[in-house]
């Protein structure tokens, strides 16, 4: 698995050198990363409703479970989408260089002022480049604890960019993968209905954040039941 990831990162870097930071570098790299789920013995089903297919740009928010997300969630990445990650990722051998060259947005979480400026910068990139961004609003991996409380950054970014929030639910991945098994079952990744933030103010952004998290939690639990059938 590690060797496969390194090989993909190297080839992605070489490809990206031909067109560094292109809007679709993440999409094409994600298509390849998503194929690795076959090695894990996972059947991944992605559901994208019609209401989502024609909406771009947007801010996508997805639950963050474990290190396998890079392979499972990759199957659901749509064209013209980049992610937002920690600046420190840039220094991880192979993966970090791939993450940077594909055009993802890097932020400094240790610096509050820079993080606030990053929201404005990300919103500007969404508008100027007509791209969507993928965020994990929990801010960390849940590791079997369901869906953790959300931070408001994704919602503030969407408000400044004047684009909708589109939730994405990935069914349970905790202890799902056993590398000694050929068949590790099914994972369902489903896009939920877009959420307009046109009438949301800074004073009630926390409320809409919590409501969205509650809805995603309920949807997550329904997907878990379906995936195990």
């Amino acid at each position: 698995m590690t060797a496969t990831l390194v090989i993909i990162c190297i080839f992605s870097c070489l490809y990206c050198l031909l067109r560094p930071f292109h809007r679709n570098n993440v999409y094409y790299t994600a298509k390849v990363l998503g194929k690795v789920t076959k090695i894990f013995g996972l059947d991944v089903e992605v559901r994208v409703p019609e209401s989502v297919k024609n909406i771009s740009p947007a801010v996508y928010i997805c639950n963050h479970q474990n290190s396998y997300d890079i392979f499972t969630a990759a199957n659901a990445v749509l064209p013209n989408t980049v992610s937002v990650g920690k600046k420190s990722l840039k220094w991880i051998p192979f993966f970090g260089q791939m993450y940077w060259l594909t055009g993802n947005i890097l932020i400094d979480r240790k610096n509050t002022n820079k993080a606030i400026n990053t929201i404005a910068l990300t919103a500007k990139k969404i508008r100027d480049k007509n791209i969507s961004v993928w965020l994990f609003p929990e801010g960390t991996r849940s590791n079997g604890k369901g869906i953790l409380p959300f931070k408001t950054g994704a919602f503030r970014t969407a408000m400044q960019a004047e684009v909708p929030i589109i939730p994405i639910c990935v069914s349970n991945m905790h202890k799902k993968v056993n590398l000694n098994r050929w068949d590790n079952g099914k994972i369902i990744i489903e896009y939920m209905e877009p959420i307009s933030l046109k009438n949301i103010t800074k004073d009630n952004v926390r409320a809409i954040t919590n409501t969205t998290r509650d809805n995603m939690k309920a949807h997550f639990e329904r997907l878990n039941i379906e995936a195990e059938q």
Side-chain angles (χ1 to χ4, degrees):
M1 182 182 67
T2 302
T4 301
L5 178 59
V6 170
I7 291 170
I8 292 173
C9 289
I10 290 173
F11 276 96
S12 177
C13 286
L14 294 174
Y15 174 73
C16 291
L17 287 174
L18 299 175
R19 54 176 206 173
F21 315 116
H22 188 276
R23 59 195 290 121
N24 271 324
N25 284 349
V26 172
Y27 170 69
Y28 288 119
T29 299
K31 295 278 281 186
V32 179
L33 286 170
K35 301 296 183 184
V36 179
T37 53
K38 297 296 182 182
I39 298 176
F40 303 150
L42 288 173
D43 176 23
V44 180
E45 178 184 351
V46 179
R47 300 171 180 173
V48 186
E50 292 298 324
S51 57
V52 170
K53 290 180 180 178
N54 296 320
I55 293 182
S56 183
V59 171
Y60 302 119
I61 57 172
C62 183
N63 55 310
H64 194 10
Q65 301 187 61
N66 53 39
S67 297
Y68 290 112
D69 288 347
I70 186 177
F71 303 109
T72 53
N75 287 279
V77 174
L78 297 178
N80 305 323
T81 302
V82 301
S83 69
V84 177
K86 296 181 294 184
K87 191 175 181 180
S88 58
L89 290 174
K90 186 177 179 180
W91 306 111
I92 298 175
F94 302 110
F95 175 79
Q97 292 73 56
M98 179 271 289
Y99 191 83
W100 173 60
L101 282 170
T102 47
N104 293 295
I105 301 170
L106 299 171
I107 63 172
D108 186 354
R109 286 186 180 174
K110 294 181 180 180
N111 189 315
T112 303
N113 291 329
K114 284 186 178 180
I116 293 173
N117 291 336
T118 297
I119 290 177
L121 176 62
T122 303
K124 186 176 187 303
K125 287 188 176 183
I126 291 172
R127 293 191 304 267
D128 294 350
K129 296 187 176 182
N130 197 36
I131 57 174
S132 297
V133 296
W134 181 298
L135 293 163
F136 294 110
E138 295 160 286
T140 188
R141 301 177 184 89
S142 61
N143 290 317
K145 298 177 183 177
I147 296 184
L148 302 177
F150 286 180
K151 301 181 186 298
T152 60
F155 292 81
R156 296 182 187 280
T157 299
M159 287 172 62
Q160 289 194 34
E162 298 182 340
V163 299
I165 285 278
I166 301 180
I168 304 167
C169 269
V170 182
S171 63
N172 181 50
M173 275 293 300
H174 184 60
K175 295 184 178 179
K176 185 87 172 182
V177 177
N178 182 338
L179 296 179
N180 292 318
R181 290 194 304 242
W182 286 108
D183 185 357
N184 283 305
K186 183 176 183 178
I187 296 295
I188 302 174
I189 305 176
E190 185 166 2
Y191 281 73
M192 296 171 64
E193 292 299 312
I195 301 170
S196 174
L197 301 179
K198 287 183 179 180
N199 298 318
I200 303 299
T201 65
K202 293 181 179 179
D203 294 330
N204 54 20
V205 66
R206 169 48 67 184
I208 189 66
T209 300
N210 292 342
T211 298
T212 302
R213 185 255 179 183
D214 291 342
N215 291 338
M216 286 183 67
K217 183 179 179 182
H219 201 79
F220 174 71
E221 292 169 354
R222 290 195 295 270
L223 288 182
N224 292 341
I225 295 172
E226 184 179 352
E228 293 300 325
Q229 292 177 347

